[in-house]
Amino acid sequence: MEQALSPATLTELRRPRPYPAVSVLTPTHRREPDNAQDPVRLRNAVAEAKKRLEADPAVTRERRVDVAGQLDRALAEVDLAHAADGLVIFAAPGEHQVWSLGRPVPERVVLSDTFLTRNLVSAQAAEQAFWVLAVAADRVSLWNGRTDRVVEENTGGFPLSRSLEDPDAERKERVGDLPSTFRDEHTRRFLRDADLAMGGVLRSHPRPLYVTGEPASLAALAEVGTAVRDATHVPHGGLGHARGETVWQAVRPLVMDRQRAQADAVHKDLETARGRREFTAGVDEVWQSAAEGRIRLLAVEENYRVTVRDDGGDHLVPAGSGDLDAREDIVDDIVERCLSTGAEVRFVPDGTLTEATGIAGVLRY
């Protein structure tokens, strides 16, 4: 279920589909006892989607059967044992997708000619994903870093592995021509291949990169390649064959440091903008500025959610989740609008934007 939302993937998700393109959103939970309710809520949401298909006169019988089957196949693929904070199912004639998100989503069923992507975009921005490259002389592994864990990736040619046995090692040792492991030309070629593969991954999915390994391996990798030139080095051997939790504990302090530094930088930008009258705050003002494409930097508290109603198109007013025309995902909508106009979006710890009621922005003009 866990996928990377690359620009190409997002473009594909946003393209128009033959009606109906069904989006099913439901909250999920990582731990007991809250996760006990997830299977029932998910089945109910899918049942609601099928009910909507049945009642929609614009949906032909052939397409209703097709999309209902796609929903069933998607439901069978869901792994709630490894659920995060939200789940999104997309189903349309001839296709379906399942997305597990690290950010809560409102419970919704939407039938349209496009999929509802704003919650995916917001969750991707909030996760502050990163890469970890674990380097050893015989294996280089790639790890997909998220908010609280890393998961090994089998993409872009990773993991790379080779044998350290040198059939000519005995003769080289006799004549004094056996180089140290990371000066050996075969090892350097191996590391060069790893660097080229990492460069391809970064071009497709640009993120902060952490590189772990013995100091000699990090030095050798820096000499033979360019992809890791701007990476954060973590001198820690023995991770080429390590498990996820071990890799996570090695990089976690640096990841936390980076996140704190980013939050401090956002705070300074907001204070500077306030002095220059380039500051906006509160969901209503920020929503209007985002719609006009005026926001350069958007700051949102990590768990800030608010349910509102559009008051005649000019302003947002507070609403209950059961109110007519209530919009539970307005924050995700704002995030997507800002990203689509080239704004930088930063999620900061809860309580950071108390005076701004959870959301604030720096204006372009």
Side-chain angles (χ1 to χ4, degrees):
M1 294 190 299
E2 190 159 334
Q3 300 165 268
L5 187 64
S6 67
T9 302
L10 183 58
T11 298
E12 166 61 19
L13 286 174
R14 282 175 167 164
R15 71 171 173 81
R17 260 76 180 175
Y19 187 85
V22 180
S23 302
V24 178
L25 287 72
T26 182
T28 54
H29 303 83
R30 298 175 188 259
R31 298 175 182 86
E32 297 177 345
D34 294 331
N35 60 6
Q37 63 185 287
D38 293 348
V40 175
R41 294 183 71 167
L42 178 57
R43 286 196 298 270
N44 288 344
V46 171
E48 173 64 20
K50 291 181 178 180
K51 184 178 178 181
R52 297 269 296 274
L53 287 170
E54 188 75 31
D56 193 333
V59 181
T60 65
R61 181 184 181 280
E62 181 183 5
R63 286 194 174 171
R64 182 173 66 250
V65 171
D66 184 349
V67 176
Q70 298 294 338
L71 286 168
D72 287 336
R73 284 188 278 277
L75 187 60
E77 294 175 9
V78 172
D79 181 10
L80 289 176
H82 297 91
D85 301 309
L87 187 74
V88 177
I89 291 177
F90 294 138
E95 63 173 319
H96 67 272
Q97 295 189 33
V98 179
W99 291 79
S100 179
L101 308 183
R103 183 169 166 81
V105 299
E107 200 159 44
R108 296 186 66 183
V109 174
V110 178
L111 274 64
S112 183
D113 57 358
T114 59
F115 292 138
L116 185 66
T117 60
R118 66 173 67 106
N119 303 94
L120 270 70
V121 173
S122 179
Q124 190 83 351
E127 285 231 292
Q128 301 183 54
F130 56 92
W131 296 116
V132 180
L133 194 67
V135 181
D138 61 340
R139 191 174 193 270
V140 179
S141 56
L142 179 65
W143 298 81
N144 185 350
R146 301 288 175 168
T147 307
D148 58 357
R149 68 196 186 282
V150 297
V151 178
E152 187 168 6
E153 281 284 315
N154 294 295
T155 188
F158 290 102
L160 279 70
S161 59
R162 66 167 193 141
S163 172
L164 289 179
E165 293 183 7
D166 185 346
D168 202 26
E170 187 175 343
R171 183 195 64 80
K172 291 178 179 177
E173 189 171 18
R174 277 200 313 272
V175 300
D177 192 31
L178 186 64
S180 63
T181 302
F182 291 104
R183 306 307 302 175
D184 175 69
E185 184 55 35
H186 293 292
T187 302
R188 293 170 68 82
R189 190 179 304 122
F190 176 65
L191 295 179
R192 192 177 296 115
D193 290 343
D195 180 83
L196 289 172
M198 191 68 240
V201 171
L202 288 172
R203 282 191 294 274
S204 300
H205 304 285
R207 301 179 185 177
L209 172 64
Y210 299 86
V211 183
T212 75
E214 298 176 6
S217 69
L218 299 182
L221 186 61
E223 286 180 11
V224 301
T226 58
V228 302
R229 186 169 293 164
D230 297 325
T232 300
H233 285 194
V234 186
H236 192 303
L239 298 181
H241 298 268
R243 295 186 177 185
E245 181 60 23
T246 305
V247 176
W248 168 238
Q249 292 303 326
V251 301
R252 183 176 181 274
L254 285 86
V255 173
M256 298 297 104
D257 287 345
R258 180 190 288 268
Q259 291 177 355
R260 282 191 290 268
Q262 289 177 339
D264 290 343
V266 168
H267 181 71
K268 290 178 182 177
D269 281 347
L270 292 174
E271 287 302 310
T272 301
R274 195 190 298 269
R276 294 177 176 174
R277 299 180 183 271
E278 297 172 352
F279 178 81
T280 184
V283 66
D284 185 40
E285 288 187 16
V286 171
W287 175 69
Q288 293 181 57
S289 298
E292 296 166 358
R294 296 177 59 202
I295 294 182
R296 175 176 64 80
L297 168 67
L298 177 72
V300 186
E301 290 187 357
E302 289 171 353
N303 294 298
Y304 177 63
R305 315 290 294 180
V306 59
T307 301
V308 297
R309 181 166 40 83
D310 188 344
D311 184 22
D314 295 327
H315 294 281
L316 299 177
V317 296
S321 59
D323 291 357
L324 185 65
D325 298 329
R327 299 174 65 177
E328 297 184 34
D329 59 349
I330 192 65
V331 175
D332 290 347
D333 188 17
I334 291 171
V335 169
E336 185 180 45
R337 283 173 180 261
C338 288
L339 288 171
S340 69
T341 57
E344 180 183 2
V345 175
R346 292 292 181 187
F347 283 80
V348 297
D350 293 340
T352 304
L353 304 174
T354 303
E355 294 183 6
T357 62
I359 188 168
V362 177
L363 300 176
R364 290 190 171 100
Y365 57 91

